[in-house]
């Protein structure tokens, strides 16, 4: 069974605390152990040193008293209580020892014996009568005679062992108590820390397609939980906007398709009632064909929008000369414009290469010029330009038509939005051309805007990153 985050945090908290306590205890115990040994080594080494200067005569002979303990303590000040003292000859044979070693001797290891012959002292921990003792083996050396004797002094480690046994009990009890307290405290703190997450989860589960207007309560603190709540709120806001756009798009598309279908049905009924009147039949069929063309145009634009949305994540892009594409589309629409009595002029056309889909770029330019020609009165003109401005290519399409009011200008790129529904319908539009232009531009990490003055015309400005400048444009677009 998977553990909850609260339990995982508690386990990690307790584990880290125990590891920290264990490491601290080990370091403290080692330091205390070394301190004890250093003190004991200093003590037994001092006793061994005093013995060397008291039991050896000026000529190197050994002065071993008969009553070893009493003579050493009374006359030489060497206390044997608490210490085990032993004298050996150069061959390693015991020649004297303290009374507390009556039934045993201090061991002489091969390593200690060899070190003594080399003039070195050896410190060891050995067992004497079932007890641990610290032992120093020290040679008595005279230059003329070599080794005269070997002195061994040992001290019991009982007190040190008792201290460490007590510490072990204390540490064990402390570890258990700390683990229990850390577990309870960690569980409480984890619950407290994760309480906002539980509230976020509860609110997120309650939010659905029907109540996307609800938001998660963001705490005043700008911590990770607050950032998570803000991020989820932003996501819900985007979802709400998308749902709203989908609903509006569906309603508008249904309305736009319903109108030509109603007209088409009426024309078919007229054609059926016309009987043998060829002229009425022809007019009905002509009107029906116009509505079919209008529906075809609408469906085509809807499919274009759907394709552009799907292509936004596609990485396929190639270098496209914007100036060449402008000239190509201008030539294609020049005849259509001349039939309306509208002129098309290219005022500036700097070389500019952008990264994108050549078909979509051509569609962008075509829609903007076609839109300008449709709403430019006879005898007026449409002016085009491409400017290479640093890291951007700027495309401008300016008409000299009736213009757009300030109230309508912010919404002209919305899908199905039409400034003058009657005029747009007569011109054959469905309110999707500029929406397609915006989608194409944004898919290329560019920007499109419009400036207009009623009675004097409208200027559409498109800014696209030049080839090689996509990363900078992507950062600016994301920001």
């Amino acid at each position: 069974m998977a553990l909850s985050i609260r339990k995982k945090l508690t386990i990690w908290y307790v584990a880290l605390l125990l590891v920290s306590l264990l490491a601290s205890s080990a370091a403290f115990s080692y330091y205390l152990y070394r301190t004890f040994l250093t003190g004991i080594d200093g003590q037994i080494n001092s006793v061994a040193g005093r013995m060397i200067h008291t039991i050896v005569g000026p000529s190197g002979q050994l002065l071993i008293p008969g009553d070893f303990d009493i003579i050493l303590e009374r006359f030489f000040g060497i206390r044997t209580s608490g210490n085990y003292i032993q004298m050996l000859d150069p061959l390693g044979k015991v020649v004297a020892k303290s009374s507390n070693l009556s039934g045993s001797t201090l061991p002489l290891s091969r390593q200690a014996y060899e070190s003594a012959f080399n003039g070195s002292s050896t410190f060891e921990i050995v067992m004497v009568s079932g007890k641990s003792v610290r032992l120093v083996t020290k040679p008595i050396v005279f230059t003329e005679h070599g080794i005269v004797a070997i002195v061994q002094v040992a001290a019991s480690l009982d007190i040190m062992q008792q201290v460490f046994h007590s510490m072990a009990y204390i540490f064990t009890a402390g570890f258990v108590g700390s683990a229990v307290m850390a577990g309870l405290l960690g569980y409480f703190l984890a619950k407290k820390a994760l309480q906002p997450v539980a509230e976020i989860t509860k609110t997120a589960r309650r939010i659905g397609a029907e109540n996307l207007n609800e938001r998660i309560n963001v705490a005043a603190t700008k911590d990770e939980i607050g950032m998570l709540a803000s991020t989820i709120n932003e996501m819900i806001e985007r979802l709400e906007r998308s749902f709203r756009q989908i609903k509006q798009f569906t309603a508008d598309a249904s309305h736009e398709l319903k109108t030509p279908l109603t007209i088409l049905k009426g024309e078919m009924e007229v054609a059926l009632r016309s009987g043998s009147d060829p002229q009425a039949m022809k007019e009905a069929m002509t009107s029906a064909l116009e509505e079919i063309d209008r529906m075809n145009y609408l469906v085509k634009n809807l499919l274009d929008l759907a394709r552009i949305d799907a292509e936004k994540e596609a990485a396929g892009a190639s270098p496209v000369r914007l100036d060449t594409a402008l000239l190509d589309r201008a030539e294609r629409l020049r005849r259509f414009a001349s039939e309306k009595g509208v002129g098309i002029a290219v005022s500036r056309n700097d070389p500019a290469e952008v990264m994108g889909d050549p078909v979509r770029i051509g569609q962008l330019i075509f829609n903007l010029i076609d839109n300008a020609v449709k709403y430019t009165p006879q005898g007026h003109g449409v002016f085009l330009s491409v400017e290479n401005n640093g890291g951007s290519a700027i495309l401008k399409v300016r008409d000299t038509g009736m213009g757009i009011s300030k109230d309508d200008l912010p919404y002209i790129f919305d899908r199905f939005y039409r400034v003058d529904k009657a005029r747009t319908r007569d011109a054959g539009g469905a309110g999707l051309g500029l929406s397609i232009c915006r989608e194409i531009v944004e898919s290329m990490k560019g920007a499109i805007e419009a400036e207009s003055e009623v009675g004097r015309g409208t200027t559409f400005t498109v800014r696209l990153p030049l080839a090689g400048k996509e990363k900078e444009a992507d950062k600016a677009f994301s920001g």
Side-chain angles (χ1 to χ4, degrees):
M1 188 176 81
L3 295 176
S4 64
I5 294 178
R6 185 185 305 173
K7 291 181 180 178
K8 289 180 180 178
L9 288 175
T10 303
I11 292 172
W12 275 105
Y13 182 74
V14 173
L16 288 175
L17 178 63
L18 290 179
V19 169
S20 300
L21 288 175
L22 184 61
S24 301
S25 301
F28 175 75
S29 299
Y30 179 76
Y31 173 77
L32 189 61
Y33 174 77
R34 296 305 307 173
T35 302
F36 264 111
L37 283 187
T38 301
I40 293 173
D41 288 351
Q43 173 194 333
I44 59 177
N45 192 50
S46 174
V47 172
R50 281 185 292 166
M51 286 191 64
I52 290 174
H53 293 89
T54 55
I55 64 175
V56 178
S59 60
Q61 76 278 14
L62 290 176
L63 303 175
I64 302 175
D67 199 342
F68 192 73
D69 291 20
I70 296 174
I71 297 301
L72 286 177
E73 190 168 342
R74 287 185 179 179
F75 295 96
F76 299 106
I78 300 174
R79 297 179 60 86
T80 59
S81 59
N83 296 313
Y84 301 99
I85 303 175
Q86 183 172 274
M87 296 287 297
L88 300 96
D89 63 15
L91 297 178
K93 181 181 178 181
V94 177
V95 295
K97 60 182 179 179
S98 59
S99 59
N100 52 12
L101 286 174
S102 59
S104 61
T105 59
L106 296 176
L108 178 64
S109 65
R110 182 178 183 83
Q111 179 183 358
Y113 184 67
E114 291 177 355
S115 296
F117 261 87
N118 292 327
S120 302
S121 299
T122 304
F123 291 88
E124 303 172 284
I125 294 178
V126 297
M127 298 296 295
V128 176
S129 300
K131 294 182 179 181
S132 294
V133 297
R134 184 69 168 172
L135 172 66
V136 61
T137 302
K138 200 174 186 72
I140 300 176
V141 181
F142 277 80
T143 307
E144 299 82 2
H145 303 91
I147 288 182
V148 176
I150 298 174
V151 177
Q152 288 184 305
V153 180
S156 175
L157 298 178
D158 286 346
I159 297 177
M160 186 181 76
Q161 290 177 341
Q162 290 174 5
V163 170
F164 276 93
H165 286 158
S166 300
M167 285 178 54
Y169 289 126
I170 294 172
F171 285 161
T172 301
F175 284 175
V176 174
S178 299
V180 173
M181 291 298 297
L184 295 175
L185 183 61
Y187 193 80
F188 172 77
L189 292 177
K191 180 181 179 181
K192 194 76 174 175
L194 293 174
Q195 185 63 35
V197 177
E199 293 295 329
I200 291 173
T201 304
K202 182 179 178 181
T203 305
R205 284 177 176 172
R206 190 174 63 249
I207 296 175
E210 299 78 16
N211 58 339
L212 284 172
N213 59 324
E214 287 194 33
R215 294 293 182 271
I216 296 171
N217 184 24
V218 180
T221 55
K222 299 297 181 182
D223 55 8
E224 289 81 357
I225 303 297
M227 293 173 60
L228 173 63
S230 299
T231 302
I232 294 177
N233 281 339
E234 292 172 2
M235 180 188 68
I236 295 173
E237 185 177 352
R238 290 194 297 270
L239 287 173
E240 182 185 13
R241 186 165 58 248
S242 298
F243 268 80
R244 189 168 56 247
Q245 290 175 348
I246 290 172
K247 288 181 179 179
Q248 185 65 39
F249 180 81
T250 303
D252 291 341
S254 300
H255 175 74
E256 293 295 331
L257 288 172
K258 180 181 178 182
T259 301
L261 285 173
T262 302
I263 297 173
L264 183 59
K265 180 181 178 182
E267 296 295 343
M268 292 296 99
E269 291 174 349
V270 170
L272 290 173
R273 290 196 302 267
S274 63
S276 58
D277 187 351
Q279 184 61 31
M281 180 77 72
K282 181 179 179 181
E283 291 177 358
M285 290 297 105
T286 301
S287 178
L289 286 174
E290 290 176 356
E291 295 303 324
I292 291 173
D293 289 339
R294 188 170 286 114
M295 281 194 298
N296 182 57
Y297 176 78
L298 175 62
V299 172
K300 179 180 176 298
N301 283 333
L302 290 173
L303 289 174
D304 281 339
L305 284 171
R307 289 194 189 101
I308 293 170
D309 287 338
E311 292 169 359
K312 279 184 179 179
E313 302 300 325
S318 58
V320 180
R321 287 289 297 271
L322 192 62
D323 52 315
T324 304
L326 178 69
L327 292 177
D328 179 68
R329 293 304 182 272
E331 287 300 321
R332 293 191 183 189
L333 285 165
R334 201 177 298 278
R335 180 178 176 183
F336 167 69
S338 63
E339 291 176 354
K340 288 195 60 179
V342 176
I344 295 178
V346 179
S347 57
R348 181 173 179 174
N349 201 26
D350 295 345
E353 188 174 69
V354 298
M355 296 298 294
D357 184 349
V359 175
R360 295 301 177 202
I361 293 176
Q363 186 179 14
L364 165 68
I365 299 173
F366 183 91
N367 284 359
L368 290 176
I369 299 175
D370 179 65
N371 186 74
V373 171
K374 284 179 180 178
Y375 302 119
T376 299
Q378 186 176 359
H380 291 255
V382 173
F383 301 92
L384 315 175
S385 68
V386 170
E387 180 182 353
N388 191 325
N389 184 12
S392 301
I394 301 176
L395 166 67
K396 290 188 177 182
V397 177
R398 179 172 65 88
D399 65 57
T400 52
M402 62 186 300
I404 303 171
S405 68
K406 292 183 179 180
D407 294 336
D408 292 318
L409 197 59
Y411 309 104
I412 60 174
F413 293 106
D414 293 348
R415 297 180 181 184
F416 294 109
Y417 187 84
R418 295 187 300 210
V419 176
D420 185 340
K421 290 181 170 47
R423 184 194 66 174
T424 307
R425 187 166 183 81
D426 292 339
L432 291 174
L434 293 179
S435 298
I436 292 174
C437 291
R438 183 182 63 179
E439 296 294 336
I440 293 173
V441 171
E442 289 183 354
S443 70
M444 298 173 62
K445 305 298 184 287
I448 183 170
E449 59 184 17
E451 297 177 358
S452 185
E453 187 176 348
V454 176
R456 303 197 60 168
T458 304
T459 301
F460 288 91
T461 303
V462 176
R463 289 179 173 84
L464 297 174
L466 291 172
K469 303 291 182 178
E470 298 85 359
K471 291 186 178 179
E472 292 85 344
D474 190 49
K475 291 181 181 178
F477 188 78
S478 301

